[in-house]
């Protein structure tokens, strides 16, 4: 079923007597399998774009590509650099802005600029009872009432179905460049990334790729963006202080390096892929511990080490869940089984299992927003 | 402004409640002396005052938990308080409430430069967070103008902003995790040293919830490396509209200054009289600050000045030294105090889309004339967060009421043009009753349902944020 207006969506949800599976462009088949009719959100169109106010308002079903084209026309972009999951998951279709926000999808620039949720200024959505709700607005500073926009971002359609989002956008930089080192182990690479991120030179990408991920040797990458003179200055400063002897890639070559990291392209052929968000300095230890317990794997580290993508390879009955979650228990953070066959996702908690008061609060919110449990039941556990 | 009638039942049990709190807390942490309680009768919105039934000053998360458990068992409302600098009455007590001050929770718990965070107890002041890391070249970005006094707990409750949030964002964009005590005393950990939530974004929900969902006792905050340098340029215009257009053009050109501040003629003159900052006598001035290395600063200022020149400025003054920078900022930083020299004032906090600046400034002028009140404008132009200052005389009967009415009209105008009631001060008691200008019944109901989940008995800061009539059925 496809709905084309907010009112139609509200009527459908108010009258629904069975669970529905909410879908934007259908490119992010992530989470516990949801049984239920597919409800496609075909509510489309850019409603307002004010480049001088750095704001864009679009209906949730608007293709991301359309939004990016509109922004590019004014030299602007979505600074949180949303990952295109089609590359990793092998899905078809057009990602929508509603899907991006509902899944809080960010990319390498999250480390400096912030996540999708940080750029979501306002939202309209329909809750599980069919109520049409608005929250936030289209201005950058807004503390009027509770911030339900943050709550909706990353709730994967389990609390409500987004119909409209307001976004903060930013100017595209004049130019970009990437510094690359080869042959460092994970600990050395991440220590270098930490040093760069702790410098005043506004690093907008900080990744380390294990040997075999992007080439025979490991690669450690640092990105800078901005006005041409400023980028040159910062390359010089980094090469002098932290990235001594690193190779420089500019413009399109730099863009390609980060497209690969953003979309986790090296793991496109892997059947099982995990995503871990951790304290950056814990990343090498976590990775090593997983190897010690027999989880053969290669890792791609983004966000200065704070985001680890792991493909555990074949031969694990539980896709490595037990070993990975033991590391999370020891070091903090969370792990999501982003890619796995549906039968595996039905057996294993895809999202980090919650306990105690946090679990109770999440259950309580679900109960208030979707008392009949019809919105993507089971997707988040 | 109305507050609910205090509960006779709670007041009748005052002696027992105070005794139980004394047993649960160390000596000196419970205050019920009427004279001492005067210190807690109001916050920065001092027009409204009411001493609490008693005040408690716990020194640890466990002590906060003990207080909350006792108050939960006794059914007593709890009003959390950071440093009491709220401009919206967020920490205003009721006569039947326990005021919970977190000022004694002020330790630094962990500084981690490799992972770029600091963990502090939530009563620590905003500026002293930066103070703990600046010797190593780091800072905490959100910088509300009360930063010398205001506590991180209050910053989180109100999702505070500041002058530099055009580049660095507000509190919610710089908050990684909290330890929070729930209404029933349970201690919960949300977030941590990692980024983003593994499940629902409870951290994003708690930030800006005005102390209604829990009492934050510890916070993990993102720290950043200090830029190599910063330098402002001052540009004067003979029309506010042209100044607004200049702001638009700078942003559209892809330059992101760390701050763009706006002052109108009334506030320029007040600042001049107050601190003699050497501002030009003109309709509007902008202070635009950029950051980076010397060369980067030069490069950005050349671009900004080229744009400003297209708007016939009456003066462009680029800072040539630290002393000159300080002088440029001096008038702006003391503008509120300078206005206070002229008369009493009410400070509003609506935010508007930047594109609406010229129209809204003109309308505010017209509305002020209609009411016979003067309105000064000094605000963060880059992000549209306005701070109209309505001058009035508190000793003149009817003047406050007239001012409140004009204030409400101005905030409704902000909403009409696509903005909101409050950009950084919070709703508190001040804007509670006009929430209906921005939100419909269902929009408010679902927010109150969120509070139902965190605080089913509505004991935490209950008479704030929502119109009293809307929350009446939920409050005890």
């Amino acid at each position: 079923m496809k709905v084309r207006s907010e009112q139609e969506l509200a009527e459908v949800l108010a009258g629904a007597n069975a669970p529905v599976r909410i879908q934007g462009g259908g490119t992010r088949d992530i989470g516990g399998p949801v049984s239920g009719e597919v409800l496609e959100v075909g509510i489309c169109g850019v409603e307002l774009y004010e480049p001088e106010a750095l704001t864009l308002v679009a209906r949730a079903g608007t293709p991301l590509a359309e939004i990016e084209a509109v922004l590019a026309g004014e030299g602007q972009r979505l600074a949180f650099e949303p990952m295109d999951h089609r590359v990793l998951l092998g899905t078809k279709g057009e990602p929508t802005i509603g899907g991006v926000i509902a899944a809080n999808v960010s990319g390498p620039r999250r480390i400096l600029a912030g996540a999708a949720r940080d750029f979501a200024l306002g939202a309209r959505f329909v809750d599980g009872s069919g109520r049409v709700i608005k929250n936030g607005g289209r201005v950058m500073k807004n503390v009027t009432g509770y911030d339900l926009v943050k709550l909706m971002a990353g709730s994967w359609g389990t609390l409500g179905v987004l119909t409209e989002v307001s976004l903060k956008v930013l100017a595209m930089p004049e130019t970009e460049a990437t510094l690359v080192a080869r042959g460092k182990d994970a600990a050395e690479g991440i220590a270098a990334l930490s040093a760069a991120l702790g410098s005043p030179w506004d690093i907008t990408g900080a990744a380390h790729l294990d040997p075999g991920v992007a080439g025979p040797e490991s690669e450690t990458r640092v990105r800078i963006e901005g006005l041409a003179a400023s980028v040159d200055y910062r390359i010089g400063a980094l090469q002098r202080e932290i990235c001594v002897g690193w190779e420089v890639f500019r413009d399109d070559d730099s863009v390609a390096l980060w497209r690969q990291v953003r979309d986790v392209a090296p793991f496109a052929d892997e059947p099982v892929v995990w995503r871990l968000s951790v304290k950056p300095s814990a990343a090498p230890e976590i990775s090593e511990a997983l190897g010690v317990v027999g989880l053969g794997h290669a890792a791609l580290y983004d966000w200065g080490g704070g985001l680890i993508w792991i493909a555990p390879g074949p031969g694990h009955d539980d896709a490595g869940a037990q070993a990975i979650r033991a590391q999370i228990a020891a070091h903090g953070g969370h792990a999501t089984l982003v890619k796995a066959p549906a039968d595996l996702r039905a057996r294993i908690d895809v999202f980090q299992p919650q306990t105690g008061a946090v679990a109770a609060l999440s259950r309580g919110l679900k109960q208030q927003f979707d008392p009949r449990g019809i919105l993507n039941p089971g997707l988040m556990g | 402004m109305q507050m609910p009638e205090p509960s006779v039942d709670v007041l009748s049990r005052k002696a027992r409640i105070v005794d139980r709190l004394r047993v649960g807390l160390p000596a000196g942490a419970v205050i019920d002396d009427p004279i001492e309680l005067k210190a807690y009768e109001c916050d920065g919105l001092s027009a409204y005052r009411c001493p609490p039934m008693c005040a408690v000053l716990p020194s640890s998360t466990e002590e906060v938990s003990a207080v909350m458990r006792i108050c939960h068992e006794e059914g007593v409302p709890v009003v959390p308080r950071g440093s009491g600098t709220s401009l919206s009455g967020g920490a205003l007590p009721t006569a039947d409430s326990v005021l919970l001050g977190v000022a004694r929770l002020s330790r630094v718990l962990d500084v981690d430069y490799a992972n770029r965070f600091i963990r502090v107890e939530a009563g620590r002041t905003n500026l002293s967070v930066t103070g703990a890391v600046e010797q190593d070249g780091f800072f905490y970005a959100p910088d509300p103008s009360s930063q010398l006094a205001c506590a991180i707990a209050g910053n989180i409750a109100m999702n505070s902003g500041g002058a530099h949030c055009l580049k660095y964002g507000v509190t919610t964009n710089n908050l990684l995790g909290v330890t929070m005590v729930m209404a029933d005393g349970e201690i919960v950990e949300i977030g941590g040293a990692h980024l983003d939530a593994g499940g629902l974004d409870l951290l994003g929900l708690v930030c800006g919830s005005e102390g209604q969902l829990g009492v934050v006792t510890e916070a993990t905050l993102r720290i950043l490396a200090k830029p190599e340098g910063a330098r402002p340029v001052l540009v004067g215009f003979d029309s506010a509209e042209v100044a607004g257009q200049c702001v638009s053009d700078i942003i559209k050109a892809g330059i992101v200054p760390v701050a763009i501040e706006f002052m109108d003629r009334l506030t320029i003159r007040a600042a001049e009289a107050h601190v003699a900052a050497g501002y030009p006598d003109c309709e509007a001035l902008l202070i635009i600050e950029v950051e980076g290395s010397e060369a980067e600063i030069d490069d950005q200022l050349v671009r900004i000045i080229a744009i400003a020149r297209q708007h016939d400025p009456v003066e462009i003054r680029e800072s040539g030294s630290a002393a000159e920078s300080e002088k440029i900022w001096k008038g702006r930083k003391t503008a509120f105090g300078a206005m206070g020299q002229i008369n009493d004032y009410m400070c509003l906090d609506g935010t508007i889309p930047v594109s609406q600046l010229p129209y809204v400034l003109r309308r505010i002028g017209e509305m002020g004339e209609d009411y016979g009140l003067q309105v000064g404008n000094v605000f963060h132009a880059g992000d549209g967060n306005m701070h109209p200052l309505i001058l009035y005389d508190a000793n003149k009967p009817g003047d406050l009421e007239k001012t409140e009415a004009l204030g409400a009209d101005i905030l409704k105008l902000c909403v009409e043009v696509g903005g909101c009631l409050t950009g950084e001060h919070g709703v508190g008691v001040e804007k509670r009753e006009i929430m209906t200008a921005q939100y419909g019944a269902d929009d408010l109901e679902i927010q109150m349902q969120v509070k139902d989940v965190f605080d089913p008995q509505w004991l935490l800061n209950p008479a704030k944020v929502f119109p009293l009539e809307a929350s009446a059925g939920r409050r005890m």
Side-chain angles (χ1 to χ4, degrees):
Chain A
M1 187 181 7
K2 183 167 183 171
V3 290
R4 288 190 165 76
S5 74
E6 184 179 80
Q7 193 193 343
E8 189 187 351
L9 173 64
E11 283 163 12
V12 166
L13 291 181
N17 46 24
V20 287
R21 193 172 139 220
I22 315 302
Q23 186 172 298
T27 67
R28 299 180 219 274
D29 181 15
I30 296 170
V34 176
S35 56
E37 191 184 350
V38 170
L39 178 61
E40 199 181 338
V41 183
I43 307 170
C44 302
V46 172
E47 287 176 88
L48 177 138
Y49 176 32
E50 291 184 345
E52 72 278 17
L54 303 176
T55 43
L56 178 138
V57 182
R59 296 191 181 97
T62 312
L64 187 61
E66 182 182 329
I67 287 173
E68 286 176 334
V70 168
L71 292 174
E74 295 286 344
Q76 296 185 335
R77 66 178 179 185
L78 298 175
F80 53 93
E81 204 176 4
M83 169 180 182
D84 183 346
H85 277 88
R86 287 175 297 189
V87 176
L88 180 65
L89 302 178
T91 45
K92 303 263 182 287
E94 277 296 321
T96 63
I97 191 64
V100 166
I101 298 302
N104 189 26
V105 179
S106 314
R109 203 176 294 106
R110 192 263 174 269
I111 191 73
L112 182 80
R117 54 91 93 174
D118 295 299
F119 288 84
L121 304 174
R124 293 177 65 91
F125 62 94
V126 180
D127 77 359
S129 306
R131 288 184 297 184
V132 176
I133 308 289
K134 70 167 181 295
N135 192 264
R138 61 178 175 96
V139 288
M140 273 179 233
K141 278 164 88 177
N142 185 349
V143 295
T144 319
Y146 296 167
D147 192 346
L148 302 185
V149 183
K150 298 280 184 300
L151 185 63
M152 294 305 293
S155 67
W156 294 82
T158 62
L159 298 182
V161 182
L162 289 169
T163 60
E164 180 191 290
V165 292
S166 310
L167 300 164
K168 175 183 174 183
V169 300
L170 284 176
M172 282 184 195
E174 204 170 86
T175 188
E176 69 167 83
T178 299
L179 291 151
V180 178
R182 294 195 178 78
K184 291 183 185 297
D185 68 23
E188 293 164 347
I190 286 164
L193 297 178
S194 273
L197 287 164
S199 78
W201 300 311
D202 284 353
I203 308 303
T204 71
H208 178 84
L209 295 74
D210 274 345
V213 172
E217 284 185 291
S218 78
E219 281 193 23
T220 311
R221 303 175 180 171
V222 166
R223 178 174 64 185
I224 37 193
E225 299 172 286
L227 303 174
S230 167
V231 168
D232 284 343
Y233 167 79
R234 286 181 281 153
I235 287 174
L238 282 162
Q239 283 187 319
R240 203 168 51 243
E241 306 273 336
I242 298 161
C243 306
V244 179
W246 295 30
E247 191 179 348
V248 180
F249 293 83
R250 289 180 184 270
D251 303 315
D252 288 351
D253 294 334
S254 171
V255 170
L257 290 176
W258 292 98
R259 184 64 54 91
Q260 181 191 42
V261 172
R262 183 193 80 178
D263 295 340
V264 201
F267 292 169
D269 294 330
E270 296 284 345
V272 173
V273 179
W274 286 87
R275 178 183 187 274
L276 283 62
S277 178
V278 299
K279 182 165 82 173
S281 64
E285 204 181 318
I286 290 172
S287 186
E288 196 187 327
L290 291 176
V292 170
V293 299
L295 193 79
H297 67 279
L300 188 164
Y301 308 84
D302 197 359
W303 299 355
L307 180 67
I308 317 176
W309 293 92
I310 287 177
H316 308 284
D317 186 39
D318 69 343
Q322 204 186 341
I324 287 170
R325 293 224 155 103
Q327 288 302 310
I328 294 295
H331 294 277
H334 51 86
T336 309
L337 178 58
V338 170
K339 183 181 183 183
D343 63 314
L344 207 55
R345 286 186 279 139
R347 280 195 289 126
I348 295 167
D349 286 316
V350 169
F351 290 84
Q352 183 70 28
Q354 296 177 325
T355 53
V358 168
L361 290 172
S362 297
R363 270 197 312 274
L365 290 168
K366 172 75 174 167
Q367 177 65 28
Q368 295 286 356
F369 281 69
D370 179 24
R372 293 175 298 157
I374 60 166
L375 300 177
N376 282 347
L379 190 148
M380 291 187 85
Chain B
M1 202 278 299
Q2 270 198 323
M3 287 300 274
E5 285 296 311
S7 158
V8 176
D9 171 47
V10 168
L11 290 174
S12 73
R13 288 180 283 119
K14 175 179 173 179
R16 187 177 83 189
I17 293 163
V18 171
D19 278 351
R20 287 195 65 186
L21 289 168
R22 285 226 161 88
V23 171
L25 293 175
V30 180
I31 297 165
D32 69 337
D33 176 76
I35 306 290
E36 286 183 67
L37 283 178
K38 292 282 270 183
Y40 301 99
E41 68 179 5
C42 71
D43 55 23
L45 187 69
S46 56
Y48 311 121
R49 291 163 196 264
C50 173
M53 181 170 71
C54 71
V56 294
L57 301 172
S59 305
S60 69
T61 298
E62 290 66 33
E63 288 178 17
V64 173
S65 169
V67 170
M68 296 307 288
R69 216 166 32 242
I70 292 166
C71 291
H72 186 252
E73 285 165 12
E74 295 285 348
V76 187
V78 175
V79 175
R81 175 183 171 109
S83 297
T85 58
S86 172
L87 294 171
S88 60
L92 178 70
T94 49
D96 57 358
S97 68
V98 171
L99 184 125
L100 194 168
V102 295
R104 290 185 181 174
L105 288 150
S106 61
R107 291 177 301 164
V108 172
L109 303 172
D110 189 10
V111 177
D112 186 333
Y113 294 126
N115 295 301
R116 300 164 301 284
F117 72 80
I118 183 171
R119 186 157 177 89
V120 297
E121 290 183 329
R124 193 170 182 86
T125 60
N126 174 292
L127 196 61
S128 71
V129 172
T130 289
V133 295
E134 66 184 343
Q135 74 279 7
D136 295 301
F138 284 80
F139 74 111
Y140 174 61
D143 59 343
S145 51
S146 57
Q147 68 180 152
L148 189 63
C150 66
I152 292 297
N155 290 180
I156 293 169
M158 294 308 192
N159 188 17
S160 302
H164 292 82
C165 56
L166 185 57
K167 180 171 177 190
Y168 296 112
V170 295
T171 301
T172 192
N173 312 117
N174 293 277
L175 178 66
L176 297 171
V178 295
T179 300
M180 185 171 86
V181 180
M182 305 286 297
D184 62 2
E186 182 164 6
I187 299 166
V188 50
E189 293 290 337
I190 303 174
H194 58 277
L195 294 174
D196 300 337
L200 297 179
D201 189 353
L202 301 180
L203 190 63
L205 188 58
V206 164
C207 191
S209 61
E210 305 208 8
Q212 292 200 307
L213 302 186
V215 179
V216 172
T217 56
E218 294 178 15
T220 304
L221 307 168
R222 186 169 82 136
I223 51 173
L224 300 169
K226 259 196 296 198
E228 290 175 77
R231 206 189 310 151
V233 58
L234 177 153
V235 191
F237 299 91
D238 54 18
S239 128
E241 279 190 70
V242 173
Q245 191 56 49
C246 184
V247 172
S248 291
D249 288 354
I250 290 167
I251 290 172
K252 225 176 147 180
I255 305 165
V256 184
V258 281
I260 307 180
E261 298 291 298
F262 177 105
M263 294 172 73
D264 69 1
R265 187 185 282 277
L266 184 61
T267 51
I268 293 168
R269 287 189 171 165
E272 271 307 295
H274 192 50
V275 293
Y279 288 168
D281 187 29
C282 56
E283 279 302 315
L285 69 77
L286 299 175
I287 298 171
I288 305 157
E289 182 157 276
V290 297
E291 287 180 345
S293 64
E294 278 303 304
E296 290 173 295
I297 289 172
D298 285 341
D299 185 36
Q300 292 175 79
L301 286 183
V302 163
R303 291 167 196 249
I304 287 167
I305 288 168
I307 293 168
R309 285 204 196 287
Q310 292 163 12
H311 295 281
D312 291 327
V314 297
E315 180 163 341
I316 294 179
R317 190 186 307 164
E318 193 180 341
S319 164
S321 67
E324 282 178 36
S325 296
E326 199 179 317
K327 202 169 173 203
I328 287 177
W329 273 111
K330 196 173 177 187
R332 166 63 185 92
K333 287 190 171 166
T334 54
F336 283 35
M339 291 293 279
Q341 297 284 311
I342 302 177
N343 217 333
D344 300 301
Y345 67 78
M346 171 185 266
C347 174
L348 305 177
D349 175 44
T351 306
I352 58 165
V354 177
S355 52
Q356 299 289 328
L357 266 179
Y359 169 72
V360 172
L361 285 170
R362 194 174 68 238
R363 283 290 298 136
I364 288 176
E366 291 165 2
M367 290 157 81
E369 272 174 38
D370 290 347
Y371 274 89
L373 292 167
Q374 272 194 305
V375 186
N377 288 286
V378 48
F379 57 91
H380 318 304
D383 53 34
N385 188 192
M386 306 192 73
H387 290 306
L389 302 172
I390 308 173
L391 292 171
Y392 71 103
D393 183 349
N395 296 320
K396 194 166 144 193
D399 233 28
L400 175 62
E401 288 71 21
K402 209 162 72 170
T403 302
E404 286 176 332
L406 171 58
D409 283 354
I410 291 174
L411 293 182
K412 285 174 191 162
L413 170 69
C414 291
V415 174
E416 267 168 39
V417 301
C420 66
L421 297 172
T422 171
E424 57 187 359
H425 295 173
V427 178
V429 296
E430 190 200 22
K431 292 169 284 273
R432 194 183 59 193
E433 302 302 326
I434 53 169
M435 280 288 272
T436 48
Q438 186 167 334
Y439 287 125
D442 282 346
D443 304 329
L444 290 173
E445 174 65 21
I446 201 159
Q447 293 182 42
M448 291 190 287
Q449 285 177 265
V450 167
K451 182 161 170 63
D452 293 342
V453 173
F454 284 75
D455 176 20
Q457 292 171 276
W458 276 62
L459 291 175
L460 265 167
N461 224 8
K464 312 284 167 69
V465 182
F466 304 104
L468 279 189
E469 197 181 299
S471 66
R474 289 177 152 95
R475 287 179 286 109
M476 46 162 229

